[in-house]
Every structure is written in C-alpha cells, then in structure tokens.
Amino acid sequence: MCAATEIDPSNVESAAAWDGPSGDAWVTHAEAHDRAVSRYLDAFLAAAALQPDHRVLDVGCGNGLTSIEAARRAGSVVGCDLSTGMLDVARRRAAAAGVANVEFVRADVQVADLGSFDRVISRNGTMFFGDPPAAFTNLARMLRPDGRLVMQVWQPYAEQEWLQMFRGVAGPVPPLPTEGPTPVSLSDPAKIERLLTAAGFAPPRIDGHVEPMLFGTPAEAEEMALSIVGAMLTDLDADRRAEAVAALRASLAAHDGPDGVTYRSAAWIVTAGRW
C-alpha cells in the first residue's frame, strides 16, 4: 500500500480547491466528465501500450476511470490525486467493477515517493502542477529506465471551443494564461519538450488529436456547465445572471446534434521514455 505524502507549498492552493469546491463538482458529475473526453480514451490507452506485467502510476486520476482501464490491461496500478472525494469515487468504481489490482492514494507527485513504475500516465492532470520542473523530475525518478510517460494535455486555448464557452458564460474574458496551473499550461509542444528533457526524459513524441467534447443532452450539459461556472455568476445582478444563463442555453441548443451537445477540442498525447 502506498502512503500519502505532504503537499508541496506550490500546490497548497490547488490542493485546497481540488479537495473542496472544484473536486466536489467533479464528484457530482463524474460520469459527465468522463463522457466529455471519452473520444480520446482509445488513443490515450494505445499510446500507453500497457502489458500484463506493468506497474502503472496514474497521475491526477480523478474519479478513477483511467486507472481502472489501465488495471484491466496491466499488472497493478496506483492512482493518485489531490481530491479525497474523487478518490472515494474511484475506489467505489473499482470495487463495483471487480478490479482489485488498483489502489488509490492522495499524493502530490512533486514530492511523493510512490515506488517505481513501468508506465506513468496522466489524462489532463499534468497541466496543473505548481512547479512543473520539480514534478516531472520526480516522475522521471519513479519511472524505470525502460519505462514510458504518457500524458494527454490540451492544445492552445484557441482550439478549445468548449473551454471558451464555459469561461464566456458571464461575459467576454481574455484567453487563459499559459503559465501557472491552467488547462493550457502545456499547450506549447516546445515547452513540453523543454520541461521533459530537462527533467530526465528523452525527447517526446507529441501527437495531435482533434475530437468533440461530448456533453449529453442540453439539460445535462447545462447542469454540468453551471456546476463549473456557477461561481462566476454569483457577482452578477439578477438581470445579468438571467442573460448569462439564457446565452448559455442558446449556445448549448446551437451545438446539439446526433451525438448530443458537442464542442470542438484538441489535445496532445505525449509519450516519452527516459534518457
């Protein structure tokens, strides 16, 4: 059993958010969040090339879907996250699925020593490190010499129609910054390569994928959207809040089709071995 570790000072604020309101929203809408990015899952798992004897670390495992899928293919899996709520969901999901070769721990991989692994995987988790050089250096240390890092990260903000929709609910906003823990902090392939090679990885392979984000019916999409951006509406007066919700509903209706509500997205799937 892996032991939980301390939180690095650079991650204290993020840890409080993920172990609080941000994590709570993901717990409440676990199935919806997994469905949203489901079109990327096959490519992500294929890149990992998991084998029955592999020991796997899943960084930012969230509600556990990627850890459970990895455990179906590998020997053993450790899923780690900063959200105790999501880790509880992950444990319940694994038990319900009868998947016993996976364990879940609350750990900060910038400082954690969780053992050695054949694969380190992360679906949309590595963008939120407070200190990326420290985190990737520690991950390289935990990866066995012939191992592989596989991570999925978002491409630049301009390619994320879904993210623009969420952030624009309350009115026009500037693009997200690419520095600091944001969804697009690893959107630049050159930055990815600099970080990984400095941390002890070989030059990575970076493959681009374009898929729709799947948000279900308009009612399901609205519920999920408001769970994420509701705080942005609290400072608006009643009229502006009503206008924002009406604009959201109009956007969702305009994007409703045969696959439900969909918005354009684009991700990088990054693979890298050790030097």
Side-chain angles (χ1 to χ4, degrees), residues 103-126:
E103 62 176 303
F104 296 97
V105 300
R106 187 172 190 260
D108 178 354
V109 297
Q110 286 183 198
V111 292
D113 182 1
L114 299 174
S116 63
F117 299 90
D118 301 286
R119 294 289 186 270
V120 173
I121 66 173
S122 180
R123 182 177 70 169
N124 298 341
T126 56

Side-chain angles (χ1 to χ4, degrees), residues 12-181:
V12 167
E13 186 174 342
S14 290
W18 285 114
D19 215 25
S22 295
D24 291 345
W26 282 68
V27 167
T28 302
H29 300 282
E31 299 294 338
H33 282 288
D34 286 333
R35 177 183 59 213
V37 294
S38 60
R39 291 287 179 86
Y40 292 102
L41 183 61
D42 287 347
F44 176 71
L45 292 172
L50 300 173
Q51 300 298 320
D53 62 342
H54 281 168
R55 178 169 163 80
V56 181
L57 176 65
D58 186 4
V59 177
C61 66
N63 291 304
L65 184 143
T66 49
S67 297
I68 293 168
E69 290 300 323
R72 297 184 195 277
R73 298 161 172 80
S76 64
V77 177
V78 176
C80 65
D81 203 279
L82 294 176
S83 168
T84 54
M86 285 195 278
L87 290 168
D88 287 341
V89 172
R91 294 184 187 103
R92 291 196 297 270
R93 282 178 156 185
V99 176
N101 59 329
V102 58
E103 62 176 303
F104 296 97
V105 300
R106 187 172 190 260
D108 178 354
V109 297
Q110 286 183 198
V111 292
D113 182 1
L114 299 174
S116 63
F117 299 90
D118 301 286
R119 294 289 186 270
V120 173
I121 66 173
S122 180
R123 182 177 70 169
N124 298 341
T126 56
M127 304 98 69
F128 300 103
F129 293 144
D131 184 346
F136 285 118
T137 297
N138 197 35
L139 292 177
R141 183 187 60 78
M142 289 190 281
L143 188 66
R144 291 170 179 163
D146 59 347
R148 180 186 301 182
L149 167 72
V150 180
M151 62 181 186
Q152 178 180 315
V153 297
W154 294 119
Q155 291 188 29
Y157 183 73
E159 304 302 321
Q160 312 304 334
E161 183 185 34
W162 66 279
L163 190 52
Q164 296 170 39
M165 179 275 290
F166 280 129
R167 296 187 68 241
V169 164
V173 291
L176 277 170
T178 56
E179 296 301 322

